[in-house]
Amino acid sequence: MKVQRINTSPYASNSYLINGKILIDPGMDMKKLVEKLEELTDPRNIDLIILTHGHFDHSAAAKPVAELCDAPIAIHKDDASSLKSEETSASMLFSSPAPNFEPDILYENGDIVRISDTEALQVIHTPGHTPGGISLYEPYSKGLFSGDTVFPNGGIGRTDFAGGNIEDLSRSIEKLTELDVITLYPGHGPVTSEDVNEQIRLSLQMSKTFR
């Protein structure tokens, strides 16, 4: 699995281009994202856009990028409606309207997204930061795209936005401790391959202090 990280601003989410064809979390700035994508690939090669959740900093650029690439947008079914709400998309924090579009694909826990002949992403429903948050695990390379569920060094996602729930988040992180992860690709911050399983266990401990 070839993963290329893109970040367009300190406030936007990380975007990840997988094998030049799948884009996770386009972020907020369509123009800057496309400029960086064009340095890596022909954007028209992208055939799927995945949102780890519906917050504005992950999803605002999704629709215009999807139209450019002619690619479908996928999100967990429990976060689809958040894309139309300024409150649940948290767009009001950016003084912007909600992304306001209909996703093309609705995921459920356990869905599989094929990314090559030998590799696939497992969709893991990890609510807590949002009701429909997901993490994506590739078992061959042992890579985990954690959205805003966990971050390096024991960090966890906020639960004080609309739809957030710390008990749900803690249970979701507990799911992630059952995986064997070599590389963590978080929604914000640096990618890490340093004892990631222990870092996720620290995140679980952190979440339990708020319960």
Side-chain angles (χ1 to χ4, degrees):
M1 178 174 68
K2 182 179 180 181
V3 181
Q4 294 164 295
R5 173 181 172 269
I6 301 170
N7 185 262
T8 55
S9 82
Y11 304 104
S13 70
N14 290 329
S15 301
Y16 295 103
L17 182 64
I18 303 176
N19 294 352
K21 292 186 174 295
I22 295 176
L23 181 65
I24 297 177
D25 288 343
M28 297 189 292
D29 192 323
M30 183 262 196
K31 182 179 179 181
K32 287 184 180 178
L33 178 67
V34 170
E35 287 175 355
K36 294 194 175 187
L37 283 174
E38 287 176 339
E39 296 173 5
L40 303 173
T41 187
D42 183 341
R44 292 172 296 182
N45 291 333
I46 295 171
D47 54 26
L48 176 63
I49 296 169
I50 302 175
L51 303 178
T52 59
H53 60 287
H55 279 167
F56 186 84
D57 56 329
H58 292 249
S59 65
K63 187 62 175 178
V65 172
E67 291 173 348
L68 174 68
C69 302
D70 192 24
I73 302 170
I75 194 172
H76 189 274
K77 61 184 181 64
D78 292 347
D79 258 22
S81 62
S82 71
L83 297 168
K84 294 188 174 183
S85 165
E86 291 186 6
E87 182 181 17
T88 55
S89 71
S91 68
M92 56 188 180
L93 298 179
F94 299 91
S95 302
S96 296
N100 195 26
F101 63 85
E102 291 282 352
D104 303 287
I105 300 169
L106 298 180
Y107 287 144
E108 296 189 41
N109 184 65
D111 283 347
I112 301 295
V113 183
R114 182 66 57 185
I115 60 174
S116 74
D117 292 340
T118 58
E119 299 166 316
L121 298 171
Q122 298 175 356
V123 177
I124 305 170
H125 184 207
T126 47
H129 181 62
T130 66
I134 59 171
S135 298
L136 300 158
Y137 180 63
E138 204 296 294
Y140 183 79
S141 61
K142 299 183 179 180
L144 177 68
F145 300 86
S146 62
D148 285 2
T149 299
V150 296
F151 302 106
N153 302 312
I156 63 174
R158 292 176 61 171
T159 58
D160 56 337
F161 297 131
N165 184 292
I166 188 59
E167 292 184 350
D168 287 346
L169 184 69
S170 188
R171 285 190 287 267
S172 293
I173 298 171
E174 193 160 9
K175 288 184 191 178
L176 301 183
T177 64
E178 299 171 1
L179 304 173
D180 184 14
V181 183
I182 290 178
T183 305
L184 178 67
Y185 303 96
H188 301 270
V191 174
T192 180
S193 298
E194 185 175 345
D195 198 2
V196 174
N197 295 322
E198 178 59 25
Q199 293 192 54
I200 296 173
R201 285 191 287 270
L202 288 174
S203 295
L204 178 60
Q205 292 175 20
M206 177 64 73
S207 71
K208 289 181 176 180
T209 66
F210 293 100
R211 292 179 65 174

